[in-house]
Amino acid sequence: MNEILAQILTVGTLAVILAKTAPILLAALGGGLTQVGNILNIGLEGLMLVGAFAGIAVGAVTTPFIGVIAALGAGVLLALIYAIASLVFKADYIVVGIGINLLAIGVTVLLLTVFYGNAGVTPGDVKSVLPKIGLGPVGDIPVIGPLFDNHTILVWVALLLVPVYWFVLYRTRYGVHLRAVGEDEPAAVAAGIRVFKVKFISIIVSGALCGLAGAQLAMASVGSFTAGMTSGRGFIVVAAVIFAAGKPVPTLIVCLIFGAADGLADRLALGGVNSSLALLTPYVITIIALVVAALRVRAAVRARTRRGLAQVTA
């Protein structure tokens, strides 16, 4: 037990947690943007998956940074399909999201087979790893230095996007329109807000951020792509989005919790805990988060009902 605790309670664990949080946070900010506009994007898993594949496939033959751009583009392309299906053809958001996930799984396996002759994983010579950013003397500061030193640029992008996300939501015209659409779409239409444009932008930006999340997932350390490598992280992100209700600070906090669960699962495995049991940790926390979110929504509905009855009887 002492050896396990020693393995977990280190600054290195905190650094791992930060790295594990980054892809979840990037995708959650994208999913939060659509959630604020009253679109529950179930397709986050698929958007992350195509981003991961594009990042490795393109980065391996060019440079890692071009691979990141390719990952972003792949996420945008798949998000465009999502937007056309849901906004133009009026398909149900949930059904389209499930379709996007299945499409991403099928397309990535197909491309693995066509380009590499292996439906499971990219060959050993197909690698693309993002360089780590050293902080120089800052990295020698106790606790803070090792925590933030030697991370990829996408970790910093994820952290910096939290205040940007807050600014967009609460200090820009677009953010006001997005929140208006999410709270009362008919009223937003009556006020002259272009609902289609507002929702379309939110979906495309969500795809871009999920593409970056996939790039971080695949290119941060492993540098290769494995079929289905997102391993349900997209659904973990959906849970984070629902629990945080698309708000910036709660989104960051929830993603840190999920990142901690993911990071601790790795550390527990290194500490000798059964790896299968350790890997269950993030998903158990996901279930708990969804249950708490459901209870919170139910309580809010009951409170609104009571207020409505009180107004009628008054």
Side-chain angles (χ1 to χ4, degrees):
M1 179 60 73
N2 291 334
E3 292 180 0
I4 294 174
L5 289 176
Q7 187 73 39
I8 293 174
L9 300 177
T10 64
V11 176
T13 300
L14 297 178
V16 170
I17 288 171
L18 191 58
K20 293 283 187 179
T21 298
I24 299 174
L25 180 58
L26 283 166
L29 292 175
L33 199 65
T34 58
Q35 176 73 2
V36 172
N38 200 28
I39 298 175
L40 180 59
N41 190 350
I42 298 294
L44 300 177
E45 175 90 355
L47 295 171
M48 292 175 66
L49 190 61
V50 295
F53 177 83
I56 296 299
V58 176
V61 296
T62 55
T63 67
F65 291 106
I66 295 178
V68 169
I69 295 172
L72 187 151
V76 168
L77 181 61
L78 198 59
L80 182 61
I81 297 173
Y82 184 103
I84 291 173
S86 59
L87 298 179
V88 177
F89 295 104
K90 305 298 182 183
D92 183 86
Y93 295 120
I94 303 296
V95 175
V96 175
I98 294 173
I100 288 294
N101 290 333
L102 295 175
L103 177 63
I105 293 170
V107 166
T108 51
V109 170
L110 174 63
L111 293 177
L112 277 172
T113 304
V114 171
F115 290 117
Y116 307 114
N118 187 334
V121 64
T122 50
D125 59 343
V126 178
K127 291 280 187 179
S128 183
V129 180
L130 282 170
K132 304 298 192 296
I133 299 175
L135 299 181
V138 177
D140 297 328
I141 299 174
V143 181
I144 295 177
L147 174 60
F148 292 102
D149 197 21
N150 290 320
H151 286 294
T152 68
I153 190 172
L154 290 179
V155 172
W156 292 100
V157 168
L159 295 175
L160 291 173
L161 279 178
V162 175
V164 172
Y165 178 66
W166 177 89
F167 182 81
V168 169
L169 278 187
Y170 300 110
R171 291 295 184 269
T172 66
R173 181 183 180 88
Y174 174 77
V176 172
H177 287 181
L178 181 66
R179 288 185 288 119
V181 168
E183 291 172 5
D184 194 335
E185 186 171 325
V189 173
I193 295 175
R194 299 170 64 181
V195 173
F196 179 92
K197 180 181 178 181
V198 169
K199 289 189 173 184
F200 183 85
I201 292 174
S202 73
I203 293 173
I204 297 302
V205 174
S206 176
L209 292 176
C210 286
L212 293 179
Q216 168 66 15
L217 184 65
M219 302 171 70
S221 57
V222 179
S224 62
F225 179 83
T226 304
M229 72 179 303
T230 46
S231 302
R233 284 180 177 83
F235 298 107
I236 291 176
V237 173
V238 171
V241 168
I242 293 173
F243 190 79
K247 297 178 180 178
V249 174
T251 297
L252 174 61
I253 294 172
V254 173
C255 288
L256 283 170
I257 293 172
F258 285 124
D262 201 0
L264 288 175
D266 287 353
R267 289 290 176 165
L268 286 171
L270 291 174
V273 178
N274 182 280
S275 59
S276 298
L277 179 62
L279 290 173
L280 281 175
T281 307
Y283 304 101
V284 170
I285 293 180
T286 300
I287 294 172
I288 294 172
L290 287 173
V291 170
V292 172
L295 293 173
R296 187 175 62 187
V297 170
R298 182 176 296 180
V301 170
R302 287 176 177 172
R304 286 197 298 268
T305 302
R306 284 196 297 268
R307 286 197 299 268
L309 291 173
Q311 291 175 358
V312 171
T313 55

